[in-house]
Amino acid sequence: RLTNVADGDNRLLQGHRVRELANSLHRLVLGLWPFWGAGDRPIRYLDIAAYPERLPRAVVPLLRGRPTEWMLADGYHSAVASEIRMELTHDFIMDGEVFSPGPGRVVRLSAPTTIDFVVP
């Protein structure tokens, strides 16, 4: 359960979430890109409210980053941020590992600098 999310624009999302996905990369493998929204901030995120309507039907538009109108109305949200703050009531998974949110149950995601990779 995610109780609060603030994304740098002070957007506050409350309640249960089925998925909160954040990424600082500019592209993913196989052309998958489950994010939409304009801006040049370093973190892109996808937020899906718990108990989403028609989740199986939303998979393909989500993977392409092209939500339908009904998805937007049913709690599928994506944007960019410099920082994301979350108050969590349970453990969370990052890069395949389980972590506890610690004192105050607040987790802060940020990407203060960028790293360039050179591919030969």
Side-chain angles (χ1 to χ4, degrees), residues 4-119:
N4 293 309
V5 175
D7 70 2
D9 286 332
N10 295 320
R11 175 184 303 275
L12 188 62
L13 306 170
Q14 297 181 336
H16 293 279
R17 303 322 240 198
V18 68
R19 173 72 56 204
E20 182 72 31
L21 176 67
N23 181 8
S24 62
L25 300 174
H26 294 287
R27 64 183 167 156
L28 297 175
V29 297
L30 303 174
L32 301 177
W33 195 249
F35 310 103
W36 58 92
D40 62 352
R41 293 186 179 151
I43 301 172
R44 290 151 186 81
Y45 71 92
L46 169 66
D47 174 77
I48 303 174
Y51 315 111
E53 294 288 324
R54 302 175 271 194
L55 183 59
R57 251 182 75 191
V59 170
V60 172
L62 279 177
L63 293 178
R64 291 181 172 169
R66 297 176 185 224
T68 63
E69 287 185 34
W70 66 262
M71 290 169 61
L72 298 174
D74 286 343
Y76 295 81
H77 174 76
S78 181
V80 296
S82 297
E83 176 181 283
I84 299 174
R85 291 180 315 279
M86 300 178 279
E87 292 178 23
L88 303 176
T89 58
H90 291 81
D91 293 348
F92 64 98
I93 299 172
M94 181 177 290
D95 290 335
E97 293 189 49
V98 178
F99 295 93
S100 295
R105 315 247 353 129
V106 174
V107 173
R108 180 180 157 257
L109 302 177
S110 65
T113 60
T114 60
I115 299 172
D116 293 321
F117 290 91
V118 178
V119 178

